[in-house]
Coordinates of all heavy atoms in Angstrom, one line a residue:
M1 N 36.7 42.6 22.2 CA 35.9 41.7 21.7 C 36.1 40.5 22.6 O 35.1 39.7 22.8 CB 36.3 41.4 20.1 CG 35.7 42.4 19.3 SD 36.0 41.9 17.6 CE 37.1 43.2 17.1
S2 N 37.3 40.0 22.9 CA 37.6 39.0 23.7 C 36.9 39.1 25.0 O 36.4 38.0 25.5 CB 39.1 38.8 23.8 OG 39.4 37.8 24.7
L3 N 36.9 40.2 25.6 CA 36.3 40.4 26.9 C 34.7 40.2 26.9 O 34.2 39.5 27.7 CB 36.5 41.8 27.5 CG 35.9 42.1 28.9 CD1 36.5 41.1 29.9 CD2 36.2 43.6 29.2
L4 N 34.1 40.6 25.8 CA 32.7 40.4 25.6 C 32.4 39.0 25.5 O 31.3 38.5 26.1 CB 32.3 41.1 24.2 CG 32.2 42.5 24.2 CD1 31.7 43.0 22.8 CD2 31.3 43.2 25.2
H5 N 33.3 38.1 25.0 CA 33.1 36.7 24.7 C 33.4 35.9 26.2 O 32.4 35.1 26.5 CB 34.2 36.1 23.9 CG 34.1 34.6 23.7 ND1 32.9 34.0 23.1 CD2 34.9 33.7 24.1 CE1 33.2 32.7 23.1 NE2 34.4 32.5 23.7
K6 N 34.1 36.5 27.1 CA 34.4 35.8 28.4 C 33.3 36.3 29.3 O 33.0 35.4 30.2 CB 35.8 36.4 28.9 CG 36.9 35.7 28.0 CD 38.3 36.2 28.5 CE 39.3 35.8 27.6 NZ 40.7 36.4 28.0
L7 N 32.7 37.4 29.2 CA 31.7 37.8 30.2 C 30.4 37.1 30.0 O 30.0 36.8 28.9 CB 31.4 39.3 30.3 CG 32.8 40.1 30.7 CD1 32.4 41.6 30.4 CD2 33.0 39.8 32.1
K8 N 29.6 36.7 31.0 CA 28.4 35.9 30.9 C 27.2 36.9 31.0 O 26.1 36.4 31.2 CB 28.2 35.0 31.9 CG 29.4 34.0 32.0 CD 29.5 33.2 30.7 CE 30.6 32.2 30.7 NZ 30.8 31.6 29.5
R9 N 27.3 38.0 30.5 CA 26.2 39.1 30.4 C 26.2 39.7 29.2 O 27.3 39.9 28.5 CB 26.0 40.0 31.6 CG 27.3 40.7 31.8 CD 27.3 41.4 33.1 NE 28.5 42.4 33.2 CZ 28.7 43.2 34.1 NH1 27.9 43.2 35.1 NH2 29.8 43.9 34.1
E10 N 25.1 40.4 28.9 CA 25.1 41.2 27.6 C 25.7 42.6 27.8 O 25.3 43.4 28.8 CB 23.6 41.4 27.1 CG 23.0 40.4 26.4 CD 21.8 40.6 25.7 OE1 21.6 41.7 25.4 OE2 21.0 39.5 25.6
I11 N 26.7 43.0 27.0 CA 27.3 44.2 27.0 C 27.3 44.9 25.7 O 27.5 44.1 24.7 CB 28.8 44.2 27.6 CG1 28.8 43.7 29.1 CG2 29.5 45.4 27.4 CD1 30.1 43.4 29.6
Y12 N 26.9 46.1 25.6 CA 26.8 46.7 24.3 C 27.9 47.8 24.2 O 28.3 48.5 25.2 CB 25.5 47.5 24.1 CG 24.3 46.6 24.2 CD1 23.8 46.2 25.4 CD2 23.7 46.0 23.0 CE1 22.7 45.3 25.5 CE2 22.7 45.1 23.2 CZ 22.1 44.9 24.4 OH 21.1 43.9 24.3
V13 N 28.7 47.8 23.1 CA 29.8 48.7 22.9 C 29.3 49.8 21.9 O 28.8 49.4 20.8 CB 31.0 47.9 22.2 CG1 32.2 48.8 22.1 CG2 31.4 46.8 23.2
L14 N 29.5 51.1 22.3 CA 28.9 52.1 21.5 C 30.1 53.2 21.4 O 30.6 53.5 22.3 CB 27.8 52.7 22.1 CG 27.1 54.0 21.6 CD1 26.4 53.7 20.2 CD2 26.2 54.5 22.5
D15 N 30.3 53.7 20.2 CA 31.1 54.8 19.8 C 30.4 55.7 19.1 O 29.3 55.5 18.7 CB 32.5 54.4 19.4 CG 32.6 53.9 18.0 OD1 31.6 54.1 17.2 OD2 33.7 53.3 17.6
G16 N 31.1 56.8 18.5 CA 30.4 57.8 17.7 C 30.0 57.4 16.3 O 29.2 58.0 15.7
E17 N 30.5 56.2 15.9 CA 30.2 55.6 14.6 C 29.5 54.3 14.4 O 28.9 54.0 13.4 CB 31.5 55.5 13.7 CG 32.2 56.9 13.6 CD 33.5 56.8 12.9 OE1 34.0 55.7 12.5 OE2 34.2 57.7 12.6
S18 N 29.6 53.5 15.5 CA 29.0 52.2 15.4 C 28.6 51.7 16.9 O 29.1 52.3 17.8 CB 29.9 51.3 14.6 OG 31.1 51.1 15.3
F19 N 27.9 50.5 16.8 CA 27.7 49.9 18.0 C 27.9 48.3 17.8 O 27.8 47.8 16.6 CB 26.3 50.2 18.7 CG 25.1 49.8 17.9 CD1 24.6 48.6 18.1 CD2 24.6 50.6 16.9 CE1 23.5 48.2 17.3 CE2 23.6 50.3 16.2 CZ 23.0 49.0 16.5
A20 N 28.1 47.5 18.8 CA 28.2 46.1 18.7 C 27.9 45.4 20.0 O 27.9 46.0 21.0 CB 29.7 45.9 18.4
W21 N 27.5 44.1 19.8 CA 27.2 43.2 21.0 C 27.5 41.8 20.5 O 27.4 41.4 19.3 CB 26.0 43.4 21.7 CG 24.7 43.1 20.9 CD1 24.2 41.8 21.0 CD2 24.0 43.9 20.1 NE1 23.0 41.8 20.2 CE2 22.8 43.0 19.6 CE3 24.0 45.2 19.7 CZ2 21.7 43.5 18.9 CZ3 22.9 45.7 18.8 CH2 21.9 44.8 18.4
L22 N 27.8 40.9 21.5 CA 28.0 39.6 21.2 C 26.7 38.9 21.0 O 25.7 39.0 21.9 CB 28.8 39.0 22.4 CG 29.1 37.5 22.2 CD1 30.2 37.3 21.2 CD2 29.7 37.0 23.6
L23 N 26.6 38.0 20.0 CA 25.4 37.0 19.8 C 26.0 35.7 20.2 O 26.9 35.1 19.4 CB 25.0 37.0 18.4 CG 24.5 38.3 17.8 CD1 24.0 38.2 16.4 CD2 23.3 38.9 18.7
R24 N 25.6 35.1 21.2 CA 25.9 33.7 21.5 C 25.3 32.7 20.6 O 24.5 33.1 19.8 CB 25.6 33.4 23.1 CG 26.3 34.4 24.0 CD 26.5 34.0 25.3 NE 27.0 34.9 26.2 CZ 28.2 35.2 26.3 NH1 29.2 34.5 25.6 NH2 28.7 36.2 27.1
E25 N 25.8 31.4 20.7 CA 25.3 30.5 19.9 C 23.8 30.3 19.9 O 23.2 30.4 21.0 CB 25.9 29.0 19.9 CG 26.7 29.0 21.2 CD 27.3 27.6 21.4 OE1 26.7 26.8 21.9 OE2 28.6 27.6 21.1
G26 N 23.0 30.2 18.7 CA 21.6 30.2 18.7 C 20.9 31.2 17.8 O 21.7 31.7 16.9
K27 N 19.7 31.4 17.9 CA 18.9 32.2 17.0 C 18.6 33.5 17.7 O 18.2 33.6 18.8 CB 17.7 31.5 16.6 CG 16.8 32.2 15.6 CD 15.6 31.3 15.2 CE 14.9 32.0 14.1 NZ 13.7 31.1 13.7
H28 N 18.8 34.6 16.9 CA 18.6 36.0 17.5 C 17.7 36.7 16.5 O 18.0 36.6 15.4 CB 19.9 36.6 17.7 CG 20.9 35.9 18.5 ND1 21.0 36.0 19.9 CD2 21.9 34.9 18.1 CE1 21.9 35.2 20.4 NE2 22.5 34.6 19.3
E29 N 16.9 37.5 17.0 CA 16.0 38.5 16.3 C 16.4 39.8 16.8 O 16.4 40.2 17.9 CB 14.5 38.1 16.5 CG 14.1 36.9 15.9 CD 12.6 36.7 16.1 OE1 11.9 37.5 16.9 OE2 12.0 35.9 15.3
I30 N 16.8 40.7 15.8 CA 17.3 42.0 16.0 C 16.2 43.1 15.4 O 16.0 43.0 14.1 CB 18.6 42.3 15.5 CG1 19.6 41.2 16.2 CG2 19.1 43.8 15.9 CD1 21.0 41.3 15.7
Q31 N 15.5 43.9 16.2 CA 14.8 44.9 15.7 C 15.7 46.0 15.1 O 16.6 46.5 15.8 CB 13.9 45.5 16.8 CG 12.9 44.5 17.4 CD 11.7 44.3 16.4 OE1 11.4 45.2 15.6 NE2 11.0 43.2 16.5
I32 N 15.4 46.5 13.8 CA 16.1 47.6 13.2 C 15.5 48.9 13.2 O 14.2 49.0 12.8 CB 16.4 47.1 11.7 CG1 17.2 45.7 11.7 CG2 17.2 48.1 10.9 CD1 18.5 45.6 12.4
D33 N 16.2 49.9 13.7 CA 15.5 51.2 13.7 C 16.3 52.0 12.6 O 17.4 52.4 12.7 CB 15.8 51.9 15.1 CG 15.5 53.3 15.2 OD1 14.9 53.8 14.1 OD2 15.5 53.9 16.3
H34 N 15.6 52.0 11.6 CA 16.3 52.7 10.4 C 16.5 54.3 10.4 O 17.2 54.7 9.7 CB 15.5 52.4 9.0 CG 15.5 50.9 8.8 ND1 16.8 50.3 8.2 CD2 14.7 50.0 8.8 CE1 16.6 49.1 8.0 NE2 15.4 48.8 8.4
N35 N 15.9 54.8 11.5 CA 16.1 56.2 11.8 C 17.4 56.5 12.4 O 18.0 57.6 12.3 CB 14.9 56.8 12.7 CG 13.7 56.7 12.0 OD1 13.6 57.1 10.9 ND2 12.6 56.4 12.8
T36 N 18.0 55.5 13.2 CA 19.4 55.7 13.8 C 20.4 54.8 13.3 O 21.5 55.1 13.4 CB 19.2 55.5 15.3 OG1 18.7 54.1 15.6 CG2 18.4 56.5 16.0
M37 N 20.1 53.6 12.7 CA 21.0 52.6 12.3 C 21.4 53.0 10.9 O 20.5 53.2 9.9 CB 20.5 51.3 12.3 CG 20.3 50.7 13.7 SD 19.6 49.1 13.7 CE 19.6 48.7 15.5
G38 N 22.7 53.0 10.5 CA 23.1 53.2 9.1 C 22.9 52.0 8.4 O 22.4 50.9 8.8
Q39 N 23.5 52.0 7.0 CA 23.3 50.9 6.2 C 24.2 49.7 6.4 O 23.9 48.6 6.4 CB 23.6 51.4 4.7 CG 23.5 50.4 3.7 CD 23.7 51.0 2.3 OE1 24.3 51.9 2.2 NE2 23.4 50.2 1.3
T40 N 25.6 49.9 6.9 CA 26.6 48.9 6.9 C 26.5 48.2 8.3 O 26.3 48.8 9.4 CB 27.9 49.5 6.8 OG1 28.0 50.1 5.5 CG2 29.0 48.4 6.7
C41 N 26.5 46.8 8.2 CA 26.6 46.0 9.4 C 27.6 44.9 9.1 O 28.0 44.7 8.0 CB 25.1 45.4 9.8 SG 24.4 44.4 8.4
G42 N 27.9 44.1 10.2 CA 28.9 43.0 10.0 C 28.6 41.9 11.1 O 28.1 42.2 12.2
I43 N 29.1 40.8 10.8 CA 29.0 39.6 11.6 C 30.4 39.0 11.7 O 31.0 38.5 10.6 CB 28.0 38.6 11.2 CG1 26.7 39.2 11.1 CG2 28.0 37.4 12.1 CD1 25.6 38.4 10.5
L44 N 31.1 38.9 12.8 CA 32.4 38.5 12.9 C 32.6 37.4 14.0 O 32.0 37.6 15.1 CB 33.4 39.6 13.3 CG 33.4 40.8 12.4 CD1 34.1 42.0 13.1 CD2 34.1 40.5 11.0
P45 N 33.3 36.3 13.9 CA 33.5 35.4 14.9 C 34.3 35.9 16.1 O 35.3 36.7 15.9 CB 34.3 34.2 14.2 CG 34.8 34.8 13.0 CD 34.1 36.0 12.6
V46 N 34.0 35.5 17.3 CA 34.7 36.1 18.5 C 35.3 34.9 19.3 O 34.5 34.1 19.8 CB 33.7 36.9 19.4 CG1 34.5 37.4 20.6 CG2 33.2 37.9 18.6
G47 N 36.6 34.9 19.3 CA 37.3 33.9 20.3 C 37.1 32.4 19.7 O 37.4 31.5 20.4
V48 N 36.9 32.3 18.5 CA 36.7 31.0 17.7 C 37.3 31.1 16.3 O 37.3 32.2 15.8 CB 35.2 30.5 17.7 CG1 34.6 30.4 19.0 CG2 34.3 31.4 16.9
D49 N 37.6 30.1 15.8 CA 38.2 30.1 14.5 C 37.2 30.1 13.4 O 37.5 30.6 12.3 CB 39.1 28.7 14.2 CG 38.3 27.5 14.4 OD1 37.1 27.5 14.9 OD2 38.9 26.4 14.1
S50 N 35.9 29.8 13.5 CA 34.9 29.8 12.6 C 33.5 29.7 13.2 O 33.4 29.3 14.3 CB 35.1 28.8 11.5 OG 34.9 27.5 12.0
S51 N 32.4 29.9 12.5 CA 31.1 29.9 12.8 C 30.3 29.8 11.7 O 30.4 30.4 10.6 CB 30.6 31.1 13.7 OG 29.4 31.0 14.2
R52 N 29.3 28.9 11.8 CA 28.2 28.8 10.8 C 27.1 29.8 11.1 O 26.5 29.7 12.1 CB 27.7 27.3 10.7 CG 26.7 27.1 9.5 CD 26.2 25.6 9.5 NE 24.9 25.5 9.7 CZ 24.1 25.8 10.9 NH1 24.7 26.2 11.9 NH2 22.8 25.5 10.9
V53 N 26.8 30.7 10.1 CA 25.9 31.7 10.3 C 24.8 31.7 9.3 O 25.2 31.6 8.0 CB 26.6 33.1 10.3 CG1 25.7 34.1 10.6 CG2 27.7 33.2 11.5
I54 N 23.5 31.8 9.7 CA 22.5 31.9 8.7 C 21.7 33.2 9.0 O 21.3 33.5 10.3 CB 21.5 30.8 8.8 CG1 22.2 29.5 8.4 CG2 20.3 30.8 7.9 CD1 21.5 28.2 8.9
T55 N 21.5 34.0 8.1 CA 20.9 35.3 8.3 C 19.6 35.4 7.4 O 19.5 34.7 6.3 CB 21.8 36.6 7.9 OG1 22.1 36.5 6.4 CG2 23.1 36.6 8.6
K56 N 18.8 36.2 7.8 CA 17.5 36.5 7.1 C 17.2 38.0 7.3 O 17.1 38.4 8.4 CB 16.4 35.7 7.6 CG 14.9 35.8 6.8 CD 13.9 34.9 7.2 CE 12.6 35.3 6.5 NZ 11.6 34.6 7.0
G57 N 17.0 38.8 6.2 CA 16.7 40.1 6.3 C 17.8 41.1 6.0 O 17.5 42.3 6.0
L58 N 18.9 40.5 5.7 CA 20.1 41.4 5.3 C 20.1 41.4 3.7 O 19.4 40.6 3.1 CB 21.4 40.9 5.7 CG 21.6 41.0 7.3 CD1 23.0 40.3 7.6 CD2 21.5 42.4 7.9
K59 N 20.8 42.4 3.1 CA 20.9 42.5 1.7 C 21.4 41.2 1.1 O 21.0 40.8 0.1 CB 21.8 43.7 1.3 CG 21.8 43.9 -0.2 CD 22.4 45.3 -0.6 CE 22.4 45.4 -2.1 NZ 22.9 46.8 -2.5
W60 N 22.5 40.7 1.7 CA 23.1 39.5 1.3 C 23.0 38.4 2.3 O 23.9 38.2 3.3 CB 24.7 39.7 0.9 CG 24.8 40.7 -0.1 CD1 24.5 40.6 -1.5 CD2 25.4 42.1 -0.1 NE1 24.7 41.7 -2.2 CE2 25.3 42.7 -1.4 CE3 25.8 42.9 1.0 CZ2 25.7 43.9 -1.6 CZ3 26.2 44.1 0.8 CH2 26.2 44.5 -0.5
D61 N 21.9 37.6 2.3 CA 21.7 36.6 3.2 C 22.5 35.3 2.8 O 22.4 34.9 1.6 CB 20.3 36.2 3.4 CG 19.5 37.2 4.1 OD1 20.1 37.7 5.1 OD2 18.3 37.4 3.8
F62 N 23.4 34.9 3.6 CA 24.2 33.6 3.2 C 24.6 32.9 4.5 O 24.4 33.5 5.6 CB 25.3 33.9 2.4 CG 26.2 35.2 2.9 CD1 27.2 34.9 3.7 CD2 26.0 36.5 2.4 CE1 28.0 35.8 4.3 CE2 26.8 37.4 2.9 CZ 27.7 37.2 3.8
G63 N 25.2 31.8 4.5 CA 25.6 31.0 5.5 C 27.1 31.2 5.9 O 27.8 30.3 6.0
D64 N 27.6 32.4 6.1 CA 29.0 32.8 6.5 C 28.9 34.0 7.2 O 28.1 34.7 7.3 CB 29.7 32.8 5.3 CG 31.2 32.5 5.5 OD1 31.7 32.4 6.6 OD2 32.1 32.5 4.4
V65 N 30.2 34.1 7.9 CA 30.4 35.5 8.5 C 30.7 36.6 7.5 O 31.1 36.3 6.4 CB 31.5 35.5 9.6 CG1 31.1 34.6 10.7 CG2 32.8 35.1 9.0
S66 N 30.6 38.0 7.9 CA 30.6 38.9 6.9 C 31.1 40.2 7.6 O 30.5 40.6 8.5 CB 29.4 39.1 6.0 OG 29.4 40.3 5.3
T67 N 32.2 40.8 7.2 CA 32.5 42.1 7.8 C 31.8 43.3 7.3 O 31.9 44.3 7.9 CB 34.1 42.3 7.7 OG1 34.3 42.4 6.2 CG2 34.9 41.2 8.3
S68 N 31.1 43.1 6.1 CA 30.4 44.2 5.5 C 29.2 43.7 4.7 O 29.3 43.1 3.8 CB 31.3 45.0 4.5 OG 30.7 46.1 4.1
N69 N 28.1 44.0 5.4 CA 26.7 43.6 4.8 C 25.9 44.9 4.9 O 26.4 45.9 5.4 CB 26.1 42.4 5.4 CG 25.1 41.7 4.7 OD1 24.4 42.2 3.8 ND2 25.3 40.4 4.8
H70 N 24.8 44.8 4.4 CA 23.8 46.1 4.4 C 22.5 45.8 5.0 O 21.9 44.6 4.7 CB 23.7 46.6 3.1 CG 24.9 47.4 2.5 ND1 25.0 47.8 1.3 CD2 26.1 47.7 3.1 CE1 26.3 48.4 1.0 NE2 26.7 48.2 2.3
L71 N 22.0 46.6 5.7 CA 20.5 46.5 6.2 C 19.7 47.0 5.1 O 20.1 47.7 4.1 CB 20.3 47.5 7.5 CG 21.1 47.2 8.7 CD1 20.9 48.3 9.6 CD2 20.8 45.8 9.1
V72 N 18.5 46.5 4.9 CA 17.6 46.8 3.9 C 16.5 47.7 4.4 O 15.8 47.4 5.4 CB 16.8 45.4 3.3 CG1 15.9 45.9 2.3 CG2 17.9 44.4 2.7
P73 N 16.4 48.9 3.9 CA 15.4 50.0 4.5 C 14.0 49.5 4.7 O 13.3 49.8 5.6 CB 15.4 51.0 3.4 CG 16.8 50.9 2.8 CD 17.1 49.4 2.7
S74 N 13.4 48.5 4.0 CA 12.1 48.1 4.1 C 12.0 47.0 5.1 O 10.8 46.5 5.3 CB 11.5 47.6 2.7 OG 12.3 46.4 2.2
I75 N 13.0 46.3 5.6 CA 12.9 45.3 6.5 C 13.2 45.7 8.0 O 14.4 46.1 8.3 CB 14.0 44.1 6.1 CG1 13.6 43.7 4.8 CG2 14.0 42.9 7.1 CD1 14.5 42.6 4.1
P76 N 12.4 45.6 8.9 CA 12.5 46.1 10.3 C 13.0 45.0 11.2 O 13.3 45.3 12.4 CB 11.0 46.5 10.7 CG 10.2 45.5 9.9 CD 11.0 45.2 8.7
L77 N 13.2 43.8 10.7 CA 13.6 42.7 11.8 C 14.5 41.8 11.0 O 14.2 41.3 9.9 CB 12.5 41.9 12.2 CG 12.8 40.7 13.2 CD1 13.1 41.3 14.6 CD2 11.6 39.8 13.2
I78 N 15.6 41.6 11.5 CA 16.6 40.5 10.9 C 16.8 39.4 12.0 O 16.7 39.5 13.1 CB 18.0 41.1 10.5 CG1 18.7 41.7 11.7 CG2 17.8 42.2 9.5 CD1 20.2 42.0 11.5
T79 N 17.1 38.2 11.4 CA 17.2 37.0 12.2 C 18.7 36.5 11.9 O 19.1 36.4 10.7 CB 16.2 35.9 11.8 OG1 14.9 36.4 12.0 CG2 16.4 34.7 12.7
I80 N 19.5 36.2 12.9 CA 20.8 35.6 12.8 C 20.8 34.4 13.6 O 20.5 34.4 14.8 CB 21.9 36.7 13.3 CG1 21.8 38.0 12.5 CG2 23.3 36.0 13.1 CD1 22.8 39.0 12.9
E81 N 21.2 33.2 13.0 CA 21.4 32.0 13.7 C 22.9 31.7 13.5 O 23.4 31.6 12.4 CB 20.5 30.9 13.2 CG 20.5 29.7 13.9 CD 19.4 28.7 13.4 OE1 18.6 29.0 12.6 OE2 19.5 27.7 13.9
T82 N 23.5 31.3 14.7 CA 24.9 31.1 14.7 C 25.3 29.9 15.4 O 24.5 29.5 16.5 CB 25.8 32.2 15.1 OG1 27.1 31.9 15.1 CG2 25.2 32.7 16.5
S83 N 26.2 29.1 15.0 CA 26.7 27.8 15.7 C 27.7 28.1 16.8 O 28.0 27.3 17.7 CB 27.2 26.9 14.7 OG 28.5 27.4 14.0
R84 N 28.3 29.3 16.7 CA 29.3 29.7 17.6 C 29.2 31.2 17.9 O 28.5 31.9 17.2 CB 30.8 29.6 17.1 CG 31.1 28.2 16.5 CD 31.3 27.0 17.7 NE 32.4 27.3 18.5 CZ 33.7 27.1 18.2 NH1 34.0 26.4 17.1 NH2 34.7 27.3 19.2
P85 N 29.8 31.8 19.0 CA 29.6 33.3 19.2 C 30.1 34.2 18.1 O 31.1 33.9 17.5 CB 30.5 33.5 20.5 CG 30.6 32.1 21.1 CD 30.6 31.2 20.0
V86 N 29.3 35.2 17.8 CA 29.8 36.2 16.7 C 29.4 37.6 17.3 O 28.7 37.7 18.2 CB 29.0 35.9 15.4 CG1 29.5 34.7 14.7 CG2 27.5 36.1 15.6
L87 N 30.3 38.5 16.7 CA 30.0 39.9 17.1 C 29.2 40.5 16.1 O 29.5 40.4 14.9 CB 31.4 40.6 17.2 CG 31.4 42.0 17.6 CD1 31.0 42.0 19.2 CD2 32.6 42.8 17.5
W88 N 28.1 41.2 16.5 CA 27.2 41.9 15.6 C 27.6 43.3 15.7 O 27.6 43.9 16.7 CB 25.8 41.7 16.0 CG 24.8 42.7 15.4 CD1 24.3 43.8 16.1 CD2 24.4 42.8 14.1 NE1 23.5 44.4 15.2 CE2 23.5 43.9 14.0 CE3 24.5 42.1 12.9 CZ2 22.9 44.3 12.8 CZ3 23.9 42.3 11.8 CH2 23.0 43.6 11.7
T89 N 27.9 44.0 14.4 CA 28.2 45.3 14.6 C 27.3 46.0 13.5 O 26.8 45.5 12.5 CB 29.7 45.6 14.1 OG1 29.8 45.2 12.7 CG2 30.7 44.9 14.8
C90 N 27.0 47.3 13.7 CA 26.1 48.2 12.9 C 26.5 49.6 13.0 O 27.0 50.1 14.1 CB 24.7 48.1 13.3 SG 23.5 48.7 12.2
E91 N 26.6 50.2 11.9 CA 27.0 51.6 11.8 C 25.8 52.5 12.4 O 24.7 52.1 12.3 CB 27.4 52.0 10.5 CG 26.5 52.9 9.6 CD 26.9 53.2 8.4 OE1 27.7 54.1 8.2 OE2 26.4 52.6 7.4
I92 N 26.1 53.7 12.9 CA 25.2 54.6 13.4 C 25.1 55.8 12.4 O 26.1 56.3 11.9 CB 25.5 55.3 14.8 CG1 25.7 54.1 15.7 CG2 24.7 56.3 15.2 CD1 26.2 54.6 17.1
K93 N 23.9 56.3 12.1 CA 23.8 57.3 11.1 C 24.3 58.6 11.7 O 24.1 58.8 12.9 CB 22.2 57.6 10.7 CG 21.7 56.7 9.7 CD 20.4 57.0 9.5 CE 19.7 56.1 8.2 NZ 18.4 56.5 7.9
P94 N 25.1 59.4 10.9 CA 25.6 60.6 11.5 C 24.3 61.5 11.7 O 23.4 61.6 11.0 CB 26.4 61.2 10.4 CG 26.2 60.3 9.2 CD 25.4 59.1 9.6
L95 N 24.5 62.5 12.7 CA 23.4 63.4 13.1 C 23.5 64.6 12.1 O 24.4 64.9 11.5 CB 23.7 63.9 14.5 CG 23.6 62.9 15.5 CD1 23.9 63.4 16.9 CD2 22.1 62.3 15.6

């Protein structure tokens, strides 16, 4: 996670259960593919002590980081606005 923060390019981390990437400060729109993305997602600060986060399109939209939130099956796009870098994580549906 620290390395993602230090590098100045987009890097996606993928394993058999989830994927993640760094969201730098600002507003981000993420297209959701409900055929491959699982229900659980999270937003974690990276290399900073805190971040103000505003989400739209998640099950629990609020102004804070969250290690466990949920995607809503009927919503294909989520918006995340952050004051500091955060790590976006999302589970992958099992095959």
